[in-house]
Amino acid sequence: MDRLETRELAYFSAVADELHFGRAATRLGIAQPALSKAIRQLERKLGVTLFERTSRAVALTEAGRILTREAYVVLEAVSAAAARTRRAGNREPRLLLAMKPGGDGGLLPAILTAYEREPGVLPAEVIFEADSARALREGRADAALLYAPPDDLDQLDTETLLTEAPVAVLPTSHPLAQRSSLQMADLAGEDLHRKPSEPGEMPSLSTLMHLIALGRKVAVLPRVLTTPLRDDLTAVPMTDLPSINLLLAWPAHSTSPSVAALVRAAASAAAAREPD
Amino acid sequence: MDRLETRELAYFSAVADELHFGRAATRLGIAQPALSKAIRQLERKLGVTLFERTSRAVALTEAGRILTREAYVVLEAVSAAAARTRRAGNREPRLLLAMKPGGDGGLLPAILTAYEREPGVLPAEVIFEADSARALREGRADAALLYAPPDDLDQLDTETLLTEAPVAVLPTSHPLAQRSSLQMADLAGEDLHRKPSEPGEMPSLSTLMHLIALGRKVAVLPRVLTTPLRDDLTAVPMTDLPSINLLLAWPAHSTSPSVAALVRAAASAAAAREPD
DNA sequence: GCCGATCCATTCACACAGGTTATCGATCGC
DNA sequence: GCGATCGATAACCTGTGTGAATGGATCGGC
């Protein structure tokens, strides 16, 4: 039938979130009847019931559950499209590389040096983002450095720069710190630092190191994050964990010569590092 | 500013295609002034110039080139969202598996048998599509069998079912047919069958085999496509080509238990085949 | 250099999509 | 039963997208 509009998907998304027309309408800044009408029209366009409504409760149908996911993808793609287009329109175009502070495995200077040797590239600028993959997917950056496996590599192309076995970080005084290698089972009794799922809960690296030195925690990290290491801490390689990769990622459909140049530069910088 | 609407992106897309407001408007079934106004509004929303217009010519700006790509992605995501939601709403839900005729490496019966043993799955149905990856991305199928590397694995998750070195198919009477292996250089003088870029130009497999038997062509194909092989043809392994993979693919964000069951079934069917 | 052709922008009247308020009807807790 | 809650419906209003007509700039042909 007719084309699905962004507005309709955003409305649907709000109702699917709240499961409550009144609250969803408030959140959207419109009145409830307008929202009801819009959802009915969406259902009519699709020829499908999206919500089971009684006068007391609203529930998603199976089709509604599918559309919940799809709408999210579409809305993200739309806002990324807008962000990328706006950036491309700036009269002072730059290549934006997103990374987590310290998340470059020490390669950043070499990458940028190699990049700037490439002919005809845009000036590069590094932006620091806790979730660099997200910045990339939202169109706020042209490329990103990140550690694999990220939660979601949808729509991203990647180049592996470094592959490293993870190391356990322990107080030097810890009994296990003298071992030449460890397995996860060895750390069973420890308070192991886990990646928090909530952003913002992540303590800074130096805080984490401090906690470890105090004997409160141990952590398993890529080796590159552990150099330099405090005197009172020791890093021991883990043998039974998958290796951790530092990746350069960029939008899968990128056609930017500057991004291509950055990929070449990063690959050559990583190759130069490989020997040691 | 305001939200980008699907309609605006479709309008933009038409103008970017035609580089001509009048023709684009005709194609869209609207009048030209409406189109001009819509594009202007889109430019205002984005704060960016998308077209350089003179009274004689229309050209894309850099930002316009970026949006051309982005708009395509968004519009495809929108129509896929609609297609998937509509299918989910059917009262007779099925799992649709797309494949090219003959593109299953002989695994299909085993996959379906294993799938139907899984508890609580939807009835499976196979649909034949020349471009099964496209059917998947457009939301017309839940999963697809295809040979890697497909042109575009964006947004798809995959499981490798078979990995095979490609074989050259030659007339048995051909001098090279007696060799135990070949490299691409050996085929330099031959009229090598290439994957046509235009769909529809691809001759059927049996036609191709006929051409080879006549000595008009030779072909390099995955081994699975060459069994059974006519008596007057011979298959010789290629040693310097990347191996060809048969993949099962599905939308990266799928949460369908039936798709998960299909992936398990396909993996086990492939594992059972592995020995021979 | 003038003229006609081409092509995008502007103007204006109009219809309609999408918004609002007011009201209704169903359902639940008490 | 009664009031509270919540979605659907009705009636109305407004902004915006639409289309016919028109304007204005540029180019090619002669």
Side-chain angles (χ1 to χ4, degrees):
Chain A
M1 194 88 67
D2 219 336
R3 185 175 21 236
L4 260 46
E5 286 300 332
T6 309
R7 184 181 47 79
E8 300 173 309
L9 292 177
Y11 285 7
F12 168 81
S13 216
V15 178
D17 259 25
E18 301 278 356
L19 290 180
H20 189 297
F21 280 74
R23 277 198 299 276
T26 305
R27 203 174 90 179
L28 292 166
I30 63 174
Q32 170 261 317
L35 182 55
S36 287
K37 211 157 100 181
I39 298 293
R40 286 204 110 61
Q41 169 172 342
L42 180 58
E43 290 180 322
R44 199 162 35 83
K45 277 187 186 176
L46 289 170
V48 152
T49 306
L50 297 170
F51 296 102
E52 296 293 350
R53 324 137 161 85
T54 71
S55 61
R56 299 301 295 171
V58 175
L60 280 167
T61 62
E62 178 58 25
R65 271 188 288 277
I66 296 293
L67 188 58
T68 303
R69 186 79 206 194
E70 299 289 335
Y72 176 81
V73 172
V74 168
L75 293 176
E76 182 155 288
V78 169
S79 69
R84 295 202 178 107
T85 305
R86 286 202 183 96
R87 286 209 299 107
N90 280 349
R91 54 221 143 293
E92 199 69 41
R94 302 189 164 281
L95 177 125
L96 294 190
L97 173 63
M99 56 176 286
K100 205 157 51 177
D104 67 335
L107 278 180
L108 186 59
I111 293 173
L112 292 181
T113 304
Y115 173 76
E116 279 153 12
R117 266 201 295 272
E118 296 263 350
V121 296
L122 298 175
E125 188 170 323
V126 177
I127 61 175
F128 293 98
E129 294 270 347
D131 186 346
S132 56
R134 181 169 180 77
L136 195 50
R137 259 182 278 106
E138 289 178 353
R140 301 199 313 273
D142 298 296
L145 286 169
L146 43 87
Y147 284 104
D151 304 354
D152 179 10
L153 277 183
D154 265 23
Q155 308 166 45
L156 302 183
D157 272 358
T158 58
E159 172 92 18
T160 302
L161 302 182
L162 297 176
T163 298
E164 298 205 330
V167 296
V169 181
L170 305 164
T172 303
S173 58
H174 194 287
L176 294 176
Q178 308 315 319
R179 301 269 290 272
S180 61
S181 73
L182 290 172
Q183 300 193 334
M184 279 307 280
D186 298 321
L187 299 177
E190 309 291 334
D191 182 359
L192 189 59
H193 171 70
R194 303 235 163 255
K195 257 205 185 122
S197 51
E198 298 290 314
E201 287 185 16
M202 174 84 90
S204 76
L205 204 56
S206 58
T207 305
L208 178 60
M209 293 301 179
H210 197 65
L211 286 170
I212 296 170
L214 291 171
R216 301 285 302 279
K217 279 189 171 293
V218 303
V220 174
L221 300 169
R223 174 176 291 279
V224 290
L225 287 183
T226 66
T227 51
L229 197 61
R230 300 160 49 132
D231 290 345
D232 51 355
L233 298 181
T234 299
V236 183
M238 301 293 298
T239 56
D240 63 342
L241 284 184
S243 58
I244 296 177
N245 301 315
L246 177 66
L247 304 179
L248 178 67
W250 62 95
H253 52 67
S254 166
T255 56
S256 152
S258 292
V259 169
L262 182 67
V263 175
R264 281 194 300 276
S268 78
R273 159 73 79 85
E274 206 60 30
D276 60 49
Chain B
M1 195 91 66
D2 220 336
R3 184 174 24 233
L4 261 45
E5 287 300 334
T6 309
R7 186 179 46 77
E8 300 173 310
L9 292 176
Y11 284 8
F12 168 80
S13 218
V15 178
D17 258 25
E18 301 279 356
L19 291 179
H20 190 296
F21 280 75
R23 277 197 298 276
T26 305
R27 205 173 88 181
L28 292 166
I30 64 172
Q32 171 263 318
L35 182 55
S36 286
K37 208 157 118 182
I39 298 293
R40 277 209 155 341
Q41 168 170 342
L42 180 58
E43 290 180 322
R44 212 187 34 204
K45 276 187 185 176
L46 289 169
V48 151
T49 305
L50 297 170
F51 296 102
E52 297 293 349
R53 322 144 165 79
T54 71
S55 59
R56 297 303 294 172
V58 175
L60 281 166
T61 62
E62 178 58 25
R65 272 187 288 277
I66 297 294
L67 188 58
T68 302
R69 187 81 206 194
E70 299 288 336
Y72 176 82
V73 172
V74 167
L75 293 176
E76 182 154 288
V78 169
S79 68
R84 295 201 178 108
T85 306
R86 286 201 184 96
R87 285 208 301 109
N90 280 349
R91 54 224 142 291
E92 199 69 40
R94 303 190 163 281
L95 177 126
L96 294 189
L97 173 63
M99 56 175 286
K100 205 158 50 177
D104 67 335
L107 278 179
L108 186 60
I111 292 173
L112 292 181
T113 304
Y115 172 75
E116 279 152 14
R117 266 201 295 273
E118 295 263 351
V121 296
L122 299 175
E125 187 170 323
V126 177
I127 61 175
F128 292 98
E129 293 270 348
D131 186 346
S132 57
R134 181 169 181 78
L136 195 51
R137 259 183 277 106
E138 289 178 351
R140 301 200 313 274
D142 298 296
L145 285 169
L146 43 87
Y147 284 103
D151 303 354
D152 180 9
L153 277 183
D154 266 23
Q155 309 166 44
L156 303 183
D157 272 358
T158 58
E159 172 91 17
T160 301
L161 302 182
L162 297 177
T163 300
E164 298 205 329
V167 296
V169 180
L170 305 164
T172 303
S173 58
H174 193 288
L176 295 175
Q178 309 315 320
R179 302 266 293 269
S180 62
S181 72
L182 290 173
Q183 300 192 334
M184 278 306 279
D186 298 322
L187 299 177
E190 309 292 334
D191 182 0
L192 190 59
H193 172 69
R194 303 237 161 254
K195 257 206 185 122
S197 51
E198 298 290 314
E201 287 184 16
M202 174 84 88
S204 76
L205 204 55
S206 59
T207 305
L208 178 60
M209 293 302 180
H210 197 65
L211 286 171
I212 296 170
L214 291 172
R216 301 284 304 277
K217 279 188 171 294
V218 302
V220 174
L221 300 170
R223 174 177 290 279
V224 290
L225 287 183
T226 66
T227 51
L229 197 60
R230 300 160 48 133
D231 290 344
D232 52 355
L233 298 181
T234 300
V236 183
M238 302 292 300
T239 57
D240 63 342
L241 285 183
S243 58
I244 296 177
N245 302 315
L246 177 67
L247 304 179
L248 178 68
W250 62 94
H253 52 67
S254 167
T255 55
S256 153
S258 292
V259 168
L262 183 67
V263 174
R264 280 193 301 275
S268 78
R273 159 74 78 85
E274 205 59 32
D276 60 49

